[in-house]
Amino acid sequence: MQYPVKDIVDFMENWAKNSYQLSWDNSGKQIFFEEMTNSIIIGMDVTDKLIKEAIDSNSKLIITHHPLFFGEIKNIIKGTYSGDNIINLLENKISVFSAHTSLDIAQGGVNDSLFNKLLLKDREILAFEEEKPMGLVGTLKEPMKFKDFLQNISTELNIKNTKSYGKNPYKKIRKVALMGGAGSLFINNAKNIADVYLTGDVKYHEGQWAYENDFIVVDLGHFHSEKFVLEEIKNRILIEFPNLDMKICENSSFELD
């Protein structure tokens, strides 16, 4: 069964509202055509591989977390990576909708998906930016040593490589702060409320700060801290549009394991 692309985009905008996004962001419609589609491709980034999946399956809508257009676009040149991607989308009349910080903040979005995957309880907000909630804090069902906690999350989140910063691998972990994506800005907030902070894109000197302040920070990787929301997007859309063919493109990130 085919549905209007507009109806699906409207559904996404009603969940991850454009008003939620931060001022520097570009969530929302990236490319839009008034088309019908019987399938959707979902991914983290608008890559050449994801676009090929959409073309091969005749999907007229791509939904991603990271926006296609984030900085200024000065030209579209055939034979360049970004130029070929944009031309292929336009020639095939494929719409692109991206929910970035709007989906970080939305209920059931990026941070809630990670929170639920870790089976945390006692949900709290980590911090606020532009008066909008950023990140979450939760409590483990049972306290455990950090060394055991790290092994558990590596297994539960299916992450092969993590980077951890801190002094004490045997520290008892009870309260966990988290933020999907790049959350280094809120390390100090996490220290004031939690025993460990899970996020991505932690720089060396931010890890040094954690060590010097006897706090533990775990860099899950940008993609791995956000990937669980892709399944949530799929499940929510299928409730509203049950006959859509939905595919999560696993190779839709620029990261390599």
Side-chain angles (χ1 to χ4, degrees), residues 31-234:
I31 295 174
F32 182 74
F33 292 99
E34 290 276 5
E35 292 286 310
M36 302 289 288
T37 191
N38 61 5
S39 64
I40 299 176
I41 303 297
I42 302 171
M44 191 62 66
D45 302 282
V46 186
T47 64
D48 54 334
K49 294 177 181 178
L50 187 145
I51 294 170
K52 185 178 186 301
E53 289 274 5
I55 294 171
D56 290 346
S57 61
N58 198 33
S59 298
K60 296 302 180 182
L61 178 59
I62 289 171
I63 295 177
T64 64
H65 178 45
H66 297 136
L68 172 63
F69 302 117
F70 198 65
E72 181 180 358
I73 300 296
K74 294 186 177 181
N75 51 52
I76 301 173
I77 300 174
K78 188 172 179 61
T80 66
Y81 180 80
S82 62
D84 285 349
N85 281 348
I86 295 168
I87 290 168
N88 283 334
L89 290 166
L90 295 175
E91 287 183 343
N92 290 278
K93 293 187 176 182
I94 299 172
S95 297
V96 177
F97 178 85
S98 303
H100 191 210
T101 54
S102 60
L103 194 57
D104 292 333
I105 292 168
Q107 186 176 6
V110 171
N111 293 310
D112 280 332
S113 296
L114 182 56
F115 186 96
N116 294 335
K117 188 69 177 178
L118 293 169
L119 303 177
L120 298 175
K121 58 181 184 178
D122 305 326
R123 183 181 182 277
E124 303 175 51
I125 302 300
L126 171 61
F128 289 86
E129 183 176 355
E130 299 178 10
E131 300 183 353
K132 294 169 181 174
M134 305 298 295
L136 295 172
V137 180
T139 307
L140 294 173
K141 290 183 177 180
E142 295 290 340
M144 64 178 68
K145 294 176 182 177
F146 172 71
K147 193 173 182 180
D148 297 328
F149 171 76
L150 184 62
Q151 181 60 51
N152 281 2
I153 64 172
S154 295
T155 301
E156 291 298 321
L157 304 183
N158 190 25
I159 302 176
K160 296 177 183 177
N161 301 303
T162 61
K163 291 183 180 178
S164 304
Y165 303 91
K167 286 183 180 179
N168 184 6
Y170 300 99
K171 179 180 179 179
K172 283 283 188 180
I173 303 299
R174 187 179 67 88
K175 294 195 77 173
V176 179
L178 61 88
M179 181 176 293
S184 296
L185 180 64
F186 301 101
I187 287 177
N188 193 52
N189 300 77
K191 180 184 181 300
N192 291 332
I193 196 172
D195 302 309
V196 65
Y197 184 36
L198 310 181
T199 189
D201 297 353
V202 179
K203 297 179 181 178
Y204 181 84
H205 291 294
E206 293 161 343
Q208 181 182 16
W209 183 93
Y211 180 88
E212 292 173 352
N213 287 273
D214 195 21
F215 185 52
I216 297 178
V217 176
V218 180
D219 188 337
L220 301 175
H222 198 113
F223 172 77
H224 289 292
S225 67
E226 297 179 327
K227 63 185 180 182
F228 302 104
V229 78
L230 301 180
E231 193 69 35
E232 182 68 16
I233 293 171
K234 175 182 176 180

